[in-house]
Amino acid sequence: MSRCGIIPFIAICLFLSGCHKENGKRRYEIQLLFNNGDVLKDYGTVTEKEANVKKYHGKAVYTTVFNDYLFLKVNGKFICSGDLIADGKHGDLYLEGAYTQKGRAYTVEDGYFEVIWRDVYGEPLTNSVLTGKWTFKRN
Amino acid sequence: MKQNTLRSLSFSLILLFSFSCKKEKGALYDFPPGRFEFVYVLNTNTNQDTIIGELSGPYLYSSNYSFMVRQELLMDKSLKIFKVGTYKSINNGIFKAQVNTGATIDYEDHDSDHLMIHFASGDTLSGSLTLTRKE
């Protein structure tokens, strides 16, 4: 009798823990609206299910837009630095912006970013840092 | 009666087992991510370089802690990332900065807003990285 009850229970436990479905990944759009009028847009995914990201990256959000970034969560803001390869150009990107979260979906309406485009030797291509506004939303 | 005891015993064993799977805390678990001012001092042979700037972190990639430098036009263009120890330990971990700058961390101290490490490699290279929270 007892065996009849325990075996299905263990089987269900094993079945549940073996579910490695990649749920919680959603498509997002990021837009970099440069103050000089240029616009860069890209699509990628965000792993919205926090437990998965927390396990490997701590307090951050992992996204595959542009070059794959980790957005650190700092006082209601995303903060991120990284390489930017887009439109055949290479540069450095710095992002910060307040995010809102509805359910699991993140939205950044009015973020601030900086870009320095560089040549193959790493020298800056402009004599000032390019800045602008960025948006990030579930697509 | 015996069956019931057996059943509840195995059930509580499974529960205990699943609750005991707790993840080990990282070396910087009490150092929340943010923006920091950094002072990077590098001594090589007779030269001493000091670079001041801003960075964000800690980012956790493959169990390694790193800090990403917010780029400025006049900043040393190869200084982009500091790799500072691992999830398990900062002390005795690897410190990496610019190209060819790799050393072992021989001192680390932090509270929630400050982090200081000293690193050295043989007799020729040593230095420190000090972070102070901005946000």
Side-chain angles (χ1 to χ4, degrees), chain B residues 4-98:
Chain B
N4 276 344
T5 326
L6 225 133
R7 192 182 293 177
S8 54
L9 226 142
S10 46
F11 183 71
S12 47
L13 261 174
I14 289 167
L15 270 181
L16 271 174
F17 175 74
S18 46
F19 283 124
S20 63
C21 294
K22 276 187 186 163
K23 202 186 165 199
E24 194 185 331
K25 281 180 178 170
L28 292 181
Y29 79 94
D30 53 351
F31 187 70
R35 285 196 302 138
F36 302 88
E37 259 173 16
F38 75 85
V39 181
Y40 172 50
V41 179
L42 182 65
N43 306 304
T44 45
N45 297 321
T46 52
N47 295 330
Q48 185 178 71
D49 277 337
T50 303
I51 302 176
I52 295 167
E54 187 187 308
L55 51 69
S56 59
Y59 296 84
L60 190 55
Y61 288 106
S62 317
S63 298
N64 293 302
Y65 286 117
S66 56
F67 294 90
M68 310 287 271
V69 176
R70 182 177 179 174
Q71 296 295 299
E72 295 169 33
L73 283 179
L74 298 174
M75 182 173 272
D76 185 331
K77 60 181 184 287
S78 58
L79 184 62
K80 294 196 175 180
I81 184 167
F82 293 106
K83 292 187 178 177
V84 179
T86 63
Y87 189 79
K88 281 189 174 172
S89 168
I90 304 292
N91 248 329
N92 297 319
I94 298 292
F95 174 85
K96 279 187 188 168
Q98 289 137 301

Side-chain angles (χ1 to χ4, degrees), chain A residues 11-134:
Chain A
I12 289 167
C13 282
L14 285 173
F15 174 75
L16 285 178
S17 60
C19 284
H20 286 301
K21 195 182 158 199
E22 288 196 319
N23 50 2
K25 272 190 184 174
R26 300 299 287 257
R27 188 175 145 96
Y28 273 69
E29 178 199 85
I30 188 169
Q31 283 198 66
L32 303 182
L33 310 162
F34 288 78
N35 288 337
N36 64 11
D38 290 348
V39 177
L40 277 180
K41 197 194 273 193
D42 194 33
Y43 298 93
T45 58
V46 167
T47 310
E48 288 181 347
K49 206 174 175 182
E50 274 195 41
N52 290 355
V53 183
K54 221 172 179 178
K55 192 170 165 188
Y56 299 106
H57 303 297
K59 264 183 93 178
V61 169
Y62 175 68
T63 174
T64 61
V65 293
F66 293 120
N67 293 64
D68 291 15
Y69 301 117
L70 276 178
F71 291 169
L72 293 179
K73 289 164 118 178
V74 181
N75 303 329
K77 280 164 76 175
F78 284 146
I79 291 180
C80 170
S81 283
D83 286 337
L84 175 63
I85 299 170
D87 275 1
K89 290 187 281 189
H90 176 255
D92 295 307
L93 175 68
Y94 170 79
L95 295 170
E96 61 174 62
Y99 66 87
T100 52
Q101 195 174 13
K102 198 175 174 187
R104 279 183 176 161
Y106 295 102
T107 307
V108 177
E109 294 282 355
D110 188 17
Y112 167 80
F113 74 86
E114 296 173 355
V115 168
I116 300 175
W117 294 118
R118 297 187 186 272
D119 65 15
V120 289
Y121 304 104
E123 300 295 342
L125 289 173
T126 51
N127 52 15
S128 64
V129 176
L130 303 173
T131 58
K133 176 184 142 170
W134 67 287

Side-chain angles (χ1 to χ4, degrees), chain B residues 90-93 104-108 117-121 127:
Chain B
I90 304 292
N91 248 329
N92 297 319
T104 307
I105 297 166
D106 52 23
Y107 172 84
E108 183 268 334
I117 60 157
H118 290 179
F119 55 86
S121 176

